[in-house]
Amino acid sequence: MTKYILVPILAALCPLALPMGRNFEYEYATLNAYACLLLIPISAWLYPTFLPIRKRLLFMLLGILGNLIPALVVFSWKICPCASGEFRTFWWLQTLPHLCLGFAVATWIEHARRQGFSRMRLALICGFVLSISCLALAAQIWWEPQKRATHIFAGFLHGAIYDSWIPLDAGVAWMRMSHICLALALFTGVILDRHRQRWPAVILCFMSWFICHWQARQSPSQSHGLAALIESMPDTRLGPGFTLHYLNRPLDGEFQRRLENIYQSARFHSQDLMRLLAVPNPDVHIFVYPNREAKKLWFGGDGTDITDVVTPSIHITLEGWPHPTLRHELVHAIASRFAYHGIGFHPNMAFTEGLATALAPRDDDMSLHEGAADIIENRRVAQIEQLFSPLFWSESGSRAYTVAGSLILYLLEQGGLDKVKALYAGSSWEDAFGQPAEQVIGAWQGYLKKHYTRQGPALQAEALYRYPGILRDACPHSKAMLAKNEGFLLKQRQPGGWKPMQDYWPWRVQLDQDPGARILVLQQRFRALAQGGEDFDFDRDLKALNPKPPKIMENVEAFILATDRRIQLGDLKTAEHELKEYIRLVQDLYIGDGTLRQLWVRWLLLRDVPETRNQPWLRLLGGIERQLPDDLDPDATWIETYLFLRNKPSSTIGIKVLDRIARTPLPAELPETFRLEWWKFLGEAYLQKGDMMAAIAMYSHAVKIAPEGSHASLKLLVQELEYRKMPQATTH
């Protein structure tokens, strides 16, 4: 029957109707799998024909092979640059089990038609089974903390949509093999008429299912429930309103230091948010995963930290201090106690994420209002209204969270926390603010336009908000997978002989001509030249990315690389002159504090530091080598002192040297960003030394000069340190 061959090919073509389905990776394989599970049984429902077993098996095999035809065409004609290993991995993991299941259900439907079942009866049976199974899956994901699953109909659901890297383990593979066994059990139970043939085959399939299912359950990636996570992270510490769960490593000093920082931060932020949101005892579980790989497999989030609002529980990794997402996730967890009619969050995700973004300020160059003004002014989101709908997730996190955070921050500034809480709890705009949504949002946009819209180009904002989001990205999972270099399973997904350090960025440039990737390739070539490696036509490639004035951030980075090349060739005077002129050129282009400091550091080194002393620092800045002096020269200039403080581990700097650094006067000509960095690094160094009072003093200096983008976060940081020096903060 041609339908057995043509329908799987049609199913393989269906994903191409959607932009994300044109990446031949996880999304393509998953959409293909769903199409197979839907279209193959429908074809049997419409045109039932019960074929002999040998003929049926032949057509099924041809149909499975036919499902591969679009991918073979895509890869042989180089239409899609995705890694073929990613396609193969997710095709057999997602699509093949659904092909088997689709054919098994189709065979059962044709058999049932022979037994006199009506189409309506069959549709009701299939719809009932599918609905009950999917409702059970939805209940599992809702009521249990894990946000990933491996389901017979839904397939392997890897978790957060923003995650581009999708790690796998044996548990996922065993579970999908168990689904194939169930499909074979259904198929053999229908196709074999004789009891002597049927029952041994069915029993064998169920035994295979049991073995595969049992093997899968040995993996944490296939366990569910709060108890499973507690078993994986059995060590606990109690704090006000929370329990911290972790897997202790007693002999690892860095682990203990980071864990202590997370615990103390959780104490401060939990109490601060309980007071602010008027929630007395939220009883939050905070799970600290040993690494991102474990977090993705055990819970379902890699680069995305997540709060489960039902438990409530927070799921983070062991990052440095201040932790980048802890307070943000605590807002979600504590606010779940009064959120939208008791469901734990607001279904309008702009409110849910906006509240957490507004109440958990980050240390950024641009404030929320500045970023949102740029996004709206330059139409980086086609329709701003779509961010207040389910399409919120279609935008990149940098755009969506910035706009949502700016709106909620505006509502907090204009209306106060009580009105925002009422809106978050389910009140209408009219009840909470006395105005319809369109009027309030319009007033917010007018406020941004009046106070925050910048005149002229903002290169940093363009780079920050350029990324369109994973649903519109080209080959996002290949980008994440090919950059990694560990594990047997990972190697099976990469091309033979793949060397990430050598092969990755040239591949990225061929993929989408991304200017950031081209800069990184040039940086690799520059280091190779500096270390006496192969000679490239480096200057030609660099010139194409170095227009004046610069149009994008990568143009500024190309100029810095060209300066490093000139320094490498010994033309220091010309490099110094060009740096001075370039700093004047970009002073109104909003290139960001970090890039501005890169220009100034090189200029100050060339201007103020003797050539005998500046070369190690220049080679460090160029990424050629990292050889730092053991101690700070007594005659060191301020820029040498700054670089020593910034690059030397704080634990290796003696307290006397640190005190001498802190007394060093700052040059009056420096941009304010240097002063801010100076006080922050001094604060961090004193904190490492255990001198809390000195650390607070340094960070307090930073607060006084901090711009809007970092002022609130630094102020919170000082408040946290003042809280930590109180006696009760040291109790366990």
Side-chain angles (χ1 to χ4, degrees):
M1 289 289 292
T2 55
K3 70 175 183 179
Y4 282 93
I5 303 172
L6 295 180
V7 172
I9 296 176
L10 175 62
L13 293 172
C14 286
L16 303 181
L18 297 173
M20 69 175 178
R22 295 167 200 159
N23 288 325
F24 274 56
E25 303 171 314
Y26 173 86
E27 283 77 16
Y28 172 81
T30 303
L31 293 172
N32 185 6
Y34 293 165
C36 290
L37 189 58
L38 181 67
L39 295 180
I40 295 174
I42 286 177
S43 69
W45 184 75
L46 292 173
Y47 308 105
T49 306
F50 203 76
L51 298 175
I53 184 170
R54 291 184 179 178
K55 195 172 184 180
R56 180 180 292 269
L57 286 172
L58 175 62
F59 282 135
M60 286 168 54
L61 179 60
L62 292 174
I64 290 173
L65 295 175
N67 187 262
L68 291 167
I69 289 176
L72 293 175
V73 172
V74 163
F75 285 112
S76 60
W77 290 2
K78 301 186 184 302
I79 298 172
C80 175
C82 295
S84 59
E86 283 293 80
F87 166 76
R88 290 193 302 270
T89 298
F90 289 117
W91 184 84
W92 78 258
L93 199 67
Q94 295 287 77
T95 310
L96 181 59
H98 275 55
L99 275 165
C100 296
L101 188 61
F103 280 124
V105 174
T107 303
W108 174 81
I109 289 174
E110 291 179 341
H111 176 76
R113 289 288 287 160
R114 289 183 67 193
Q115 301 299 316
F117 280 54
S118 67
R119 286 196 176 95
M120 180 58 68
R121 185 178 179 185
L122 289 172
L124 289 174
I125 292 173
C126 291
F128 176 78
V129 172
L130 183 63
S131 299
I132 292 298
S133 179
C134 290
L135 283 173
L137 172 65
Q140 181 187 58
I141 292 177
W142 174 255
W143 292 109
E144 296 179 342
Q146 291 84 353
K147 302 310 170 195
R148 49 97 184 115
T150 311
H151 185 260
I152 189 168
F153 296 133
F156 168 54
L157 302 178
H158 70 85
I161 191 173
Y162 285 141
D163 287 345
S164 54
W165 166 232
I166 307 177
L168 299 170
D169 69 353
V172 178
W174 280 112
M175 188 59 74
R176 291 302 277 159
M177 288 170 64
S178 77
H179 297 158
I180 293 177
C181 293
L182 287 179
L184 292 176
L186 176 61
F187 179 76
T188 55
V190 172
I191 202 71
L192 298 175
D193 291 327
R194 297 179 182 177
H195 288 287
R196 290 182 180 179
Q197 296 176 332
R198 178 189 302 166
W199 290 114
V202 171
I203 291 172
L204 179 62
C205 290
F206 271 109
M207 288 179 62
S208 300
W209 167 83
F210 176 80
I211 293 171
C212 292
H213 191 82
W214 181 83
Q215 280 289 116
R217 288 297 183 187
Q218 307 310 303
S219 169
S221 71
Q222 299 307 308
S223 60
H224 272 264
L226 185 63
L229 291 176
I230 292 175
E231 183 179 354
S232 297
M233 289 166 279
D235 300 290
T236 61
R237 292 180 72 176
L238 298 178
F242 70 89
T243 303
L244 189 73
H245 302 264
Y246 58 97
L247 182 61
N248 196 19
R249 299 202 293 267
L251 300 180
D252 188 338
E254 179 63 17
F255 169 86
Q256 296 298 332
R257 186 180 68 82
R258 291 193 173 195
L259 185 69
E260 181 66 21
N261 279 332
I262 287 178
Y263 175 71
Q264 297 296 352
S265 291
R267 288 181 60 89
F268 166 73
H269 292 298
S270 178
Q271 288 192 315
D272 185 54
L273 290 170
M274 284 192 291
R275 174 191 58 78
L276 190 65
L277 297 172
V279 177
N281 187 23
D283 192 21
V284 179
H285 295 271
I286 303 177
F287 288 94
V288 182
Y289 293 77
N291 52 60
R292 289 191 169 191
E293 187 98 356
K295 180 166 169 284
K296 182 69 173 179
L297 291 170
W298 298 0
F299 171 73
D302 169 31
T304 309
D305 288 341
I306 301 173
T307 295
D308 173 55
V309 297
V310 175
T311 321
S313 58
I314 292 170
H315 303 266
I316 59 176
T317 50
L318 198 69
E319 304 284 352
W321 181 86
H323 194 281
T325 61
L326 176 60
R327 185 178 173 94
H328 181 103
E329 302 305 330
L330 274 169
V331 174
H332 286 317
I334 295 173
S336 69
R337 292 312 192 202
F338 59 82
Y340 200 77
H341 304 298
I343 69 171
F345 67 99
H346 199 291
N348 187 327
M349 294 310 298
F351 296 159
T352 296
E353 296 300 343
L355 181 66
T357 302
L359 293 182
R362 299 285 296 270
D363 185 1
D364 292 323
D365 286 353
M366 297 181 69
S367 70
L368 290 174
H369 290 332
E370 289 169 336
D374 179 87
I375 291 170
I376 295 170
E377 180 70 18
N378 293 287
R379 299 185 181 277
R380 304 192 195 281
V381 174
Q383 291 184 331
I384 206 69
E385 292 76 13
Q386 76 181 24
L387 292 178
F388 305 99
S389 74
L391 293 177
F392 179 89
W393 297 115
S394 68
E395 286 294 338
S396 67
S398 60
R399 297 178 185 177
Y401 282 55
T402 298
V403 172
S406 173
L407 172 64
I408 299 300
L409 185 59
Y410 169 80
L411 297 179
L412 289 169
E413 292 167 346
Q414 301 298 317
L417 183 61
D418 288 341
K419 292 183 178 181
V420 172
K421 280 186 66 177
L423 187 67
Y424 197 76
S427 297
S428 66
W429 287 89
E430 287 83 356
D431 290 341
F433 288 92
Q435 297 175 344
E438 296 79 10
Q439 191 171 342
V440 177
I441 293 174
W444 162 65
Q445 290 179 293
Y447 171 80
L448 294 180
K449 187 171 184 178
K450 180 179 179 181
H451 297 284
Y452 289 95
T453 300
R454 288 172 167 172
Q455 300 299 320
L459 304 192
Q460 183 198 28
E462 187 277 332
L464 184 61
Y465 303 122
R466 179 190 302 162
Y467 182 60
I470 193 171
L471 295 183
R472 283 177 264 175
D473 196 1
C475 309
H477 306 303
S478 295
K479 290 176 180 175
M481 181 270 297
L482 291 176
K484 294 183 177 291
N485 188 28
E486 71 276 343
F488 173 79
L489 288 176
L490 179 65
K491 287 296 182 184
Q492 307 313 304
R493 297 159 66 177
Q494 294 178 340
W498 181 261
K499 298 178 180 178
M501 292 294 292
Q502 174 181 314
D503 302 330
Y504 181 73
W505 288 112
W507 171 80
R508 279 289 301 271
V509 170
Q510 291 181 349
L511 171 66
D512 54 16
Q513 290 297 305
D514 176 67
R518 293 172 67 192
I519 284 292
L520 287 165
V521 170
L522 287 174
Q523 288 175 344
Q524 285 182 335
R525 292 181 174 180
F526 171 73
R527 294 186 192 109
L529 283 170
Q531 294 167 1
E534 183 181 352
D535 192 16
F536 303 96
D537 196 349
F538 176 81
D539 296 319
R540 181 201 63 191
D541 294 341
L542 185 61
K543 187 175 181 180
L545 272 174
N546 191 13
K548 296 179 182 178
K551 305 290 191 250
I552 57 176
M553 280 296 298
E554 285 75 13
N555 296 155
V556 183
E557 293 174 13
F559 170 80
I560 293 172
L561 196 55
T563 300
D564 290 340
R565 174 65 168 158
R566 193 175 290 281
I567 292 169
Q568 178 195 9
L569 295 174
D571 194 355
L572 304 187
K573 288 296 182 183
T574 304
E576 179 188 342
H577 174 74
E578 289 185 348
L579 278 165
K580 183 178 181 180
E581 293 301 316
Y582 202 81
I583 289 171
R584 291 176 182 169
L585 179 67
V586 300
Q587 62 183 353
D588 295 324
L589 297 183
Y590 303 105
I591 63 172
D593 287 349
T595 308
L596 182 64
R597 287 195 301 270
Q598 288 191 52
L599 293 168
W600 270 80
V601 162
R602 285 164 171 80
W603 179 54
L604 291 173
L605 278 171
L606 292 171
R607 190 193 71 173
D608 298 342
V609 182
E611 187 174 344
T612 54
R613 294 211 312 259
N614 69 16
Q615 288 304 312
W617 295 116
L618 291 170
R619 291 177 69 81
L620 172 72
L621 293 168
I624 300 168
E625 61 187 7
R626 186 179 178 84
Q627 292 184 354
L628 300 176
D630 295 329
D631 206 349
L632 184 63
D633 192 311
D635 299 326
T637 62
W638 180 86
I639 192 61
E640 290 176 283
T641 306
Y642 168 81
L643 289 171
F644 182 86
L645 175 66
R646 184 183 178 94
N647 292 280
K648 197 76 171 174
S650 299
S651 58
T652 64
I653 302 177
I655 191 64
K656 291 183 178 180
V657 174
L658 185 58
D659 289 338
R660 176 161 66 89
I661 291 173
R663 292 192 298 269
T664 304
L666 281 72
E669 64 186 325
L670 288 175
E672 202 77 323
T673 175
F674 272 108
R675 302 174 187 276
L676 188 64
E677 286 287 288
W678 175 255
W679 296 122
K680 284 162 60 177
F681 276 109
L682 281 170
E684 181 181 353
Y686 275 114
L687 191 61
Q688 288 271 3
K689 296 297 181 186
D691 191 340
M692 193 69 70
M693 295 301 296
I696 291 172
M698 299 300 115
Y699 280 116
S700 297
H701 284 306
V703 170
K704 293 176 183 177
I705 62 172
E708 185 175 319
S710 58
H711 182 269
S713 65
L714 287 172
K715 186 176 179 181
L716 264 178
L717 190 148
V718 171
Q719 291 172 356
E720 178 184 339
L721 292 179
E722 289 175 340
Y723 169 83
R724 287 175 63 170
K725 73 184 173 86
M726 296 166 60
Q728 70 270 19
T730 62
T731 59
H732 291 194

